[in-house]
């Protein structure tokens, strides 16, 4: 028996269609790859921007902490200087013996101002060459003559040299001449003029370089 022969027809567009499909798949895949690349770049840029923003915020916070720390330390130095100023006033009024010697060398913190010296300088004693705030023989330490307790928190708190200090300058007599009706610094006509003193106090904060200097004028009969 002879079997009838069957012929398979191959569509002439089969290979062409397959090729077109491959090209279409490639065209579809290429934009997907491009989109993935753009997403990666965008993500990296976003991460870099976030990192830069974080660094900027951290820098601002560090700067603010420094400013706050400096302000607190200066406030502490101001309080120390003010405490020394009040201590000096109490020392002058209640503790300083009559007839105490005021010298150009500021011995024991009792100074003769430059205006009353031979050179007659118009500056305070602590501004003259040779004066040293760290020299205990030229200053009066806080609480040394009044019994005040140590001032806390300042640089070198546990040492006497770390405490606030002051000097007292004897400026001379002030007041009104006999027969005048005005009053000057609390002196009444007919009374003996009072003596004016200048108290200069120096205080430090928790750091040695933070320094505040205050002055007051005090009169004493």
């Amino acid at each position: 028996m002879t079997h009838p022969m069957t012929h398979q027809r191959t569509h002439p567009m089969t290979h062409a269609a397959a090729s077109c499909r491959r090209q279409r798949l490639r065209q579809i895949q290429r934009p997907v790859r491009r989109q993935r690349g753009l997403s990666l770049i965008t993500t990296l840029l976003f991460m870099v921007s976030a990192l830069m923003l974080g660094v900027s915020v951290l820098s601002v916070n560090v700067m603010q902490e420094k400013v706050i720390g400096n302000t607190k330390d200066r406030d502490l130095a101001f309080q120390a200087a003010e405490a020394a100023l009040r201590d000096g006033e109490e020392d002058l009024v209640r503790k300083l013996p009559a007839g105490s010697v005021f010298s150009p060398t500021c011995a024991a913190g009792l100074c003769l101002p430059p205006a009353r010296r031979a050179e007659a300088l118009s500056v305070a004693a602590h501004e003259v060459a040779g004066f040293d705030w760290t020299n205990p023989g030229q200053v009066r330490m806080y609480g040394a003559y009044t019994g005040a307790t140590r001032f806390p928190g300042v640089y070198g708190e546990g040492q006497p040299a770390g405490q606030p200090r002051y000097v007292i300058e004897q400026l001379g007599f002030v007041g009104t001449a006999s027969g005048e009706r005005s009053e000057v610094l609390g002196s009444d006509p007919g009374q003996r003029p009072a003596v004016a003193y200048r108290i200069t106090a120096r205080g430090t904060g928790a750091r040695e370089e933070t320094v505040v200097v205050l002055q007051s004028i005090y009169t004493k009969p």
Side-chain angles (χ1 to χ4, degrees):
M1 292 179 64
T2 59
H3 298 281
M5 296 181 62
T6 59
H7 297 279
Q8 295 180 353
R9 293 183 178 180
T10 303
H11 198 279
M13 296 297 292
T14 301
H15 295 290
S19 178
C20 290
R21 290 178 181 175
R22 295 192 191 99
Q23 291 180 357
R24 288 178 182 176
L25 288 173
R26 291 175 181 174
Q27 291 176 357
I28 294 173
Q29 290 175 353
R30 286 176 182 174
V32 173
R33 292 178 180 176
R34 291 178 181 175
Q35 290 177 0
R36 290 178 180 175
L38 291 175
S39 299
L40 180 60
I41 294 175
T42 303
T43 303
L44 290 175
L45 290 176
F46 178 77
M47 292 177 63
V48 171
S49 301
L51 179 62
M52 294 178 64
L53 179 61
V55 172
S56 300
V57 172
L58 181 61
S59 300
V60 172
N61 290 337
V62 171
M63 184 63 65
Q64 288 179 346
E65 289 180 0
K66 288 183 178 180
V67 172
I68 293 173
N70 292 336
T71 302
K72 288 183 178 180
D73 202 40
R74 184 165 182 81
D75 288 343
L76 178 62
F78 182 86
Q79 293 174 11
E82 190 173 27
L85 198 64
R86 300 294 173 259
D87 194 67
E89 292 175 354
E90 184 178 356
D91 180 16
L92 175 63
V93 175
R94 300 180 181 180
K95 304 296 182 180
L96 191 65
S100 297
V101 178
F102 291 81
S103 66
T105 59
C106 292
L110 303 179
C111 307
L112 200 62
R116 299 185 61 190
R117 304 179 191 178
E119 61 269 26
L121 300 176
S122 58
V123 295
H126 70 280
E127 297 175 343
V128 177
F131 178 83
D132 186 3
W133 279 109
T134 62
N135 184 357
Q138 291 185 311
V139 298
R140 299 172 82 82
M141 307 303 296
Y142 174 77
Y145 298 92
T146 62
T149 58
R150 291 183 180 274
F151 194 89
V154 296
Y155 175 80
E157 175 185 355
Q159 304 175 1
Q163 288 296 294
R165 60 209 63 192
Y166 60 92
V167 294
I168 302 176
E169 296 177 85
Q170 189 182 61
L171 300 179
F173 291 101
V174 293
T176 56
S178 178
E180 291 187 3
R181 302 298 301 172
S182 62
E183 297 182 1
V184 179
L185 296 178
S187 296
D188 296 327
Q191 292 184 350
R192 184 171 61 89
V195 180
Y197 298 88
R198 178 168 55 201
I199 304 172
T200 305
R202 180 182 185 271
T204 60
R207 295 175 297 179
E208 185 180 10
E209 61 271 17
T210 306
V211 178
V212 171
V213 177
L214 301 176
Q215 284 185 336
S216 67
I217 304 294
Y218 205 94
T219 59
K220 181 181 178 182

